[in-house]
Amino acid sequence: MGFDLSGKRVAVLGVGKMGGILLKALLEKGLLSPKSTFATVQHEDRARALSEKLGVSVGTDNLAAVREADIILVCVKPQVVQEVMEQIRPNVSRKQLIISVAASVPTSQIEKALGEVAVVRAMPNTPCVLGVGMTGLCKGKYADARQVETACALFGVVGKTVVVDEKHMDAVTALSASGPAYIYIILESLAEAGVKVGLPRDVSTLLAAQTTLGAATVVLETGDHPALLKDAVTTPAGCTIDGIMELEEGKLRVTLIKAVVKAAQRAKELAYG
Ligand SMILES: NC(=O)c1ccc[n+]([C@@H]2O[C@H](COP(=O)([O-])OP(=O)(O)OC[C@H]3O[C@@H](n4cnc5c(N)ncnc54)[C@H](OP(=O)(O)O)[C@@H]3O)[C@@H](O)[C@H]2O)c1
């Protein structure tokens, strides 16, 4: 393995949906060593259950969890970040790397709370659970290129990564972090459509999902513009153009654009409640 954190002490603050996906994947891939991994949640009973399930130390004391940690992965809700940063401050030093996946929370807020520490902000998505995630990352004021590389390598274990300027992080949040929800709605609708035209639901869902995967794979692997790829499917006077006319009439394009714009606006506010 090219990238190995097993000698490093890692604290994961918040093991909910996203923290859980990341922690589980990093442990399963052998990137983290269970004895050097310290996680926290809010509730004692959750801590006990997770500790048993994952085989790592899970508690509720954030300050203790980050003591001598090399990497601190912050996976609590945006509204809780400030409070958690204030709790851990006494045990944070300049040699640590803070990686926050909290939507909307700027690196400057974390730097202000903790002092001159290296912060990388990351925005993963739930398909990380199967190693097919997408994570956008950006660096704070004090993080160097090597630390950004470390964060990229960490999220590279659960999917693709892209480094962007921090000003684009709300857009990344709205597109690729919220995006799986949009795609699931599209998939569900296509599957429903298959049922409407007589297909069994399981066959219909398989056709819709594999078609989505196939189309996305072609875009990624050829680098061709989606419009050109669409044209190749659209035979003159064939069936596809009739389907496309319905999509245009239903304003699918503008609806998707507006969905991302709205989500990006909301992403700007999240950290403030
Ligand atoms: N879900 C996504 O698709 C997604 C994508 C990208 C980024 N994110 C980001 O990931 C972060 C977490 O989101 P989520 O969806 O995983 O939320 P979630 O499922 O509600 O998880 C939040 C976790 O934080 C724990 N927690 C709450 N207060 C805490 C405290 N004071 N100290 C330590 N742990 C505490 C909770 O503990 P308990 O388990 O005891 O309640 C829970 O485990 C958010 O900042 C979000 O913006 C999420």
Side-chain angles (χ1 to χ4, degrees):
M1 191 188 305
F3 179 66
D4 186 11
L5 287 176
S6 55
K8 305 259 186 215
R9 201 176 154 106
V10 177
V12 181
L13 310 181
V15 188
K17 286 184 280 297
M18 188 43 73
I21 286 173
L22 293 172
L23 181 54
K24 201 159 167 278
L26 294 171
L27 286 166
E28 273 172 12
K29 308 251 175 183
L31 208 79
L32 298 183
S33 109
K35 64 178 183 355
S36 317
T37 304
F38 299 84
T40 59
V41 290
Q42 186 178 19
H43 302 95
E44 294 278 359
D45 51 336
R46 278 263 302 153
R48 271 192 301 276
L50 277 168
S51 187
E52 246 172 61
K53 190 172 148 210
L54 299 173
V56 299
S57 158
V58 187
T60 54
D61 185 343
N62 292 316
L63 182 62
V66 303
R67 186 175 303 128
E68 288 171 28
D70 297 292
I71 296 178
I72 301 171
L73 192 53
V74 181
C75 301
V76 294
K77 290 271 185 205
Q79 300 86 341
V80 185
V81 171
Q82 185 64 29
E83 174 194 324
V84 170
M85 294 303 102
E86 281 161 20
Q87 285 169 2
I88 66 172
R89 190 184 160 98
N91 280 348
V92 170
S93 72
R94 283 198 197 186
K95 57 182 180 18
Q96 293 168 320
L97 169 61
I98 319 282
I99 303 175
S100 163
V101 303
S104 177
V105 178
T107 54
S108 59
Q109 183 183 330
I110 296 172
E111 289 159 355
K112 203 164 156 218
L114 297 179
E116 294 183 8
V117 289
V119 181
V120 171
R121 181 174 162 195
M123 191 39 61
N125 65 10
T126 52
C128 287
V129 72
L130 290 182
V132 288
M134 181 70 237
T135 304
L137 301 104
C138 71
K139 68 185 275 315
K141 198 166 156 192
Y142 307 105
D144 61 26
R146 200 181 42 82
Q147 288 163 321
V148 175
E149 248 174 57
T150 299
C152 283
L154 195 147
F155 287 97
V157 169
V158 288
K160 292 185 186 294
T161 59
V162 64
V163 177
V164 298
D165 282 346
E166 185 153 15
K167 67 175 187 228
H168 294 310
M169 285 303 279
D170 292 330
V172 170
T173 306
L175 180 48
S176 59
S178 300
Y182 314 150
I183 303 295
Y184 293 135
I185 289 174
I186 291 173
L187 275 177
E188 191 192 0
S189 311
L190 287 174
E192 204 85 330
V195 170
K196 174 71 183 160
V197 291
L199 291 168
R201 185 168 294 276
D202 56 343
V203 173
S204 192
T205 304
L206 171 67
L207 294 178
Q210 177 61 21
T211 302
T212 306
L213 177 65
T217 307
V218 172
V219 170
L220 288 174
E221 296 205 353
T222 62
D224 286 349
H225 193 293
L228 282 180
L229 295 167
K230 177 216 39 172
D231 287 354
V233 189
T234 315
T235 315
C239 329
T240 310
I241 190 65
D242 279 9
I244 289 175
M245 273 177 61
E246 289 295 325
L247 293 182
E248 298 293 7
E249 209 169 279
K251 298 189 166 43
L252 180 73
R253 284 170 199 264
V254 74
T255 304
L256 287 172
I257 294 167
K258 283 166 77 174
V260 174
V261 170
K262 272 275 182 204
Q265 281 165 0
R266 178 69 184 134
K268 282 192 207 312
E269 314 160 351
L270 269 190
Y272 310 100

